[in-house]
Amino acid sequence: EALQRIVSNLANKNGEIHNFIDMLNHTIKNVQVNSSNAISELDEEFDGLYSILDEMKGSMASTIQQEEARKVQALQDQLSQCSNALESSEELLELAAQSLDIKDPVEFLKVENLEQMCIRQKVTMASAFRISLKPTVSDSMTHLMVDFALERRILQAVNFLPVPKAPEIDLAACLVADNCITVSWRMPEDDGRIDHFVLEYRKTNFGLPRVKDEQRWELIDYIKATEYTLSGLKFDTKYMNLRVQACNKAVAGEYSDPVTLETKAFVFSLDSTSSHLNLKVEDTYVEWDPTGGKGQEKVKGKENKSGGGPSPKRTPVNTRSSARGSRDRFTGESYTVLGDTAVESGQHYWEVRAQKDCKSYSVGVTYRNLGKFDQLGKTNSSWCIHINNWLQTTISAKHNNKTKTLDITVPDRIGVYCDFDGGQLTFYNANSKELLYTFRTKFSQPLLPGFMIWCGGLTVSTGLQVPSAVKTLQKSENVLSGSTGSLNNTA
């Protein structure tokens, strides 16, 4: 048996060696093929360089020839002018000599008068006196000389492309705001051969990068600048790891040291186990269903003849503070559903979009003690904005069964900002970040997001950062309007 095990191990080892030999032979072939490809690419690069040099040589030679032709033409024109002047001067000299040979003054004057112009004037105005005896152009061509000393040194320095160094992420220039992350980096030294950058990121719940239990890296390729903005993110984890690598034409360098940016935000789903039977709930969407309740009540009656037992509850997620207790479903005219995660501290933000056919809906928060017949804003433990679209569109703030009608336009999306520790609940136009209404109070219990819908549907967006515009409004606002004390009694 021992020998059999040894023989089996040896046979396995021989098989591994055979496979390794095959791999080595395959690698040798790949080296040869890749080497041949590299030489071909090298030939192409040098041929391209030769082509550029030949083209430049031809262009520069043409410039010299054009300069030569210009100068020769200018000198030939000047030479022609001098030849013509010289010929005219010689004719004048001969005429003047003939006149000077006349000794008799009377005869001399007679000869001069026979000419259209006197000989003295002709000689005085001879073209030879007006010609410059200096060449119009120089014979020098030194202004078209070249010095390739610098280029020669550059060409002598041509070598294979080096591996780019790892970029350095500038944490001070990185920004997390408005559901976006802006990452900025720089190279440790100037490298004009960098073609592009690659950014990788992954979400995590750990403050420092970890090897195990991490999600895979998401990749953004071919970034030309040294900054990139990741937009439209849902921050369903607390942090994000990021790293960058530089790439030239041939090879990618090492990744930068990964950095971690804090991206925590409030994430919740709608608690379908306690929603009204006339509501259809799917994660972050709730829709009014006038027939759904009857069908669900029939099913519920079959499962529990007493009809008064609580609905089954799902096991809460470990990372959330569960809102699900031992309550019954909302019933009666309380067409309500709550979020499954409570706000117990800090500043949080979420948004709600209503369908165009919504007739009535409310958006707000409540303590866990909201009764199954209670409506948002009609108890002293719930606060909300209510929109009514039945006869005419109105928007109002509600708390403790008191209502304040607001003279504002109903926005397409409503942003909800909750500062638990600061005792503030503010509603915004999610598009323009215009303030709609603010409640101020001291929250004594954890808060649950609450939603009421009658006809139509609501979509809730969670995992959002508190918008920078909202933060700016909070800082600049000295006195926030709309305290709970200003609400009027509801009829």
Side-chain angles (χ1 to χ4, degrees):
E1 289 178 357
L3 179 60
Q4 201 169 24
R5 285 196 299 271
I6 295 172
V7 170
S8 177
N9 290 336
L10 182 58
N12 291 334
K13 192 65 176 179
N14 287 346
E16 293 177 1
I17 294 174
H18 278 298
N19 292 335
F20 185 64
I21 290 174
D22 292 339
M23 186 193 72
L24 290 176
N25 288 326
H26 183 68
T27 304
I28 290 172
K29 290 180 181 179
N30 285 342
V31 168
Q32 293 171 340
V33 171
N34 292 335
S35 176
S36 178
N37 291 338
I39 291 175
S40 297
E41 292 178 0
L42 184 65
D43 288 340
E44 289 179 4
E45 291 292 339
F46 271 94
D47 288 342
L49 188 59
Y50 297 149
S51 176
I52 292 173
L53 290 173
D54 286 340
E55 184 178 347
M56 291 179 63
K57 178 182 177 182
S59 176
M60 297 175 79
S62 176
T63 301
I64 294 173
Q65 291 169 352
Q66 291 173 6
E67 181 69 0
E68 176 192 8
R70 184 187 70 82
K71 287 194 171 187
V72 168
Q73 184 63 47
L75 292 171
Q76 285 179 343
D77 291 344
Q78 192 176 17
L79 180 61
S80 177
Q81 291 176 1
C82 290
S83 298
N84 293 335
L86 184 60
E87 183 179 351
S88 176
S89 296
E90 289 175 348
E91 291 178 355
L92 285 173
L93 285 173
E94 184 179 354
L95 180 61
Q98 292 175 358
S99 299
L100 288 172
D101 286 341
I102 301 173
K103 303 302 182 180
D104 185 6
V106 176
E107 185 68 21
F108 179 82
L109 291 174
K110 188 185 295 184
V111 171
E112 264 203 330
N113 291 333
L114 290 174
E115 301 291 335
Q116 293 179 354
M117 183 185 299
C118 71
I119 297 174
R120 283 173 297 174
Q121 284 182 316
K122 288 183 177 181
V123 173
T124 302
M125 298 178 62
S127 59
F129 291 118
R130 298 191 300 272
I131 288 179
S132 172
L133 299 181
K134 180 181 179 181
T136 56
V137 295
S138 168
D139 61 352
S140 173
M141 300 290 282
T142 55
H143 63 291
L144 294 177
M145 300 298 289
V146 295
D147 180 10
F148 286 132
L150 176 61
E151 288 76 8
R152 189 175 291 109
R153 288 196 296 271
I154 293 175
L155 287 173
Q156 289 171 345
V158 169
N159 206 334
F160 297 107
L161 283 172
V163 177
K165 294 187 176 180
E168 298 172 353
I169 296 181
D170 185 3
L171 268 175
C174 295
L175 178 66
V176 178
D178 300 321
N179 304 320
C180 299
I181 292 179
T182 298
V183 190
S184 181
W185 61 88
R186 57 177 175 266
M187 294 299 295
E189 59 186 39
D190 291 336
D191 190 346
R193 298 181 178 182
I194 298 300
D195 179 71
H196 64 276
F197 297 92
V198 175
L199 169 66
E200 290 191 349
Y201 66 95
R202 64 184 177 187
K203 297 178 180 180
T204 177
N205 282 315
F206 307 104
L208 295 174
R210 294 176 55 164
V211 177
K212 296 181 179 180
D213 302 326
E214 291 284 9
Q215 298 185 26
R216 64 181 182 86
W217 291 97
E218 302 287 340
L219 184 142
I220 306 293
D221 204 352
Y222 295 104
I223 302 172
K224 294 295 184 179
T226 56
E227 182 178 279
Y228 190 81
T229 298
L230 295 164
S231 59
L233 298 174
K234 180 179 180 181
F235 295 117
D236 49 2
T237 48
K238 294 182 180 180
Y239 303 95
M240 186 173 288
N241 299 148
L242 304 116
R243 64 184 186 183
V244 183
Q245 68 176 164
C247 306
N248 56 31
K249 184 178 179 181
V251 66
E254 293 293 326
Y255 279 100
S256 65
D257 292 333
V259 299
T260 301
L261 299 180
E262 187 173 3
T263 60
K264 61 183 180 181
F266 185 49
V267 180
F268 64 89
S269 297
L270 301 179
D271 183 9
S272 60
T273 63
S274 60
S275 68
H276 194 284
L277 290 173
N278 281 100
L279 300 181
K280 292 171 62 177
V281 176
E282 295 181 5
D283 194 21
T284 56
Y285 178 75
V286 55
E287 181 179 3
W288 163 262
D289 182 9
T291 63
K294 295 180 180 179
Q296 293 180 44
E297 285 176 354
K298 290 180 180 179
V299 174
K300 182 178 178 181
K302 292 179 181 179
E303 293 176 349
N304 184 359
K305 294 181 180 180
S306 64
S311 302
K313 303 297 185 293
R314 293 183 294 173
T315 303
V317 181
N318 292 334
T319 57
R320 295 178 176 178
S321 175
S322 176
R324 305 182 186 105
S326 58
R327 72 159 85 246
D328 291 332
R329 285 180 178 271
F330 288 101
T331 189
E333 293 187 357
S334 180
Y335 304 109
T336 304
V337 61
L338 303 179
D340 64 357
T341 305
V343 174
E344 299 183 12
S345 63
Q347 302 177 33
H348 306 285
Y349 180 83
W350 60 95
E351 294 179 354
V352 181
R353 180 191 294 273
Q355 291 180 348
K356 293 183 178 180
D357 59 349
C358 276
K359 296 301 182 183
S360 176
Y361 61 95
S362 299
V363 177
V365 297
T366 178
Y367 292 155
R368 284 193 174 101
N369 61 3
L370 189 67
K372 66 179 183 178
F373 292 99
D374 293 333
Q375 297 181 8
L376 288 175
K378 290 194 174 183
T379 68
N380 62 358
S381 60
S382 62
W383 301 258
C384 74
I385 286 286
H386 177 73
I387 291 86
N388 188 341
N389 286 322
W390 281 106
L391 297 178
Q392 60 181 2
T393 301
T394 61
I395 181 171
S396 57
K398 290 186 175 184
H399 169 65
N400 199 21
N401 206 26
K402 297 177 182 179
T403 299
K404 180 177 181 180
T405 302
L406 308 178
D407 186 17
I408 54 177
T409 303
V410 178
D412 295 333
R413 288 186 300 134
I414 296 176
V416 184
Y417 168 75
C418 180
D419 181 0
F420 186 91
D421 302 316
Q424 178 178 329
L425 177 68
T426 304
F427 298 88
Y428 290 92
N429 182 324
N431 295 320
S432 65
K433 301 302 181 289
E434 177 187 1
L435 177 65
L436 302 179
Y437 195 81
T438 294
F439 292 102
R440 277 200 172 276
T441 185
K442 184 177 180 180
F443 298 120
S444 58
Q445 300 178 36
L447 295 169
L448 299 174
F451 310 90
M452 187 280 294
I453 181 73
W454 190 8
C455 294
L458 295 178
T459 300
V460 183
S461 298
T462 71
L464 306 178
Q465 293 281 320
V466 178
S468 55
V470 170
K471 291 182 179 179
T472 303
L473 282 172
Q474 297 302 321
K475 291 179 181 178
S476 63
E477 204 171 35
N478 295 324
V479 180
L480 295 177
S481 62
S483 65
T484 55
S486 64
L487 294 178
N488 299 318
N489 289 329
T490 303

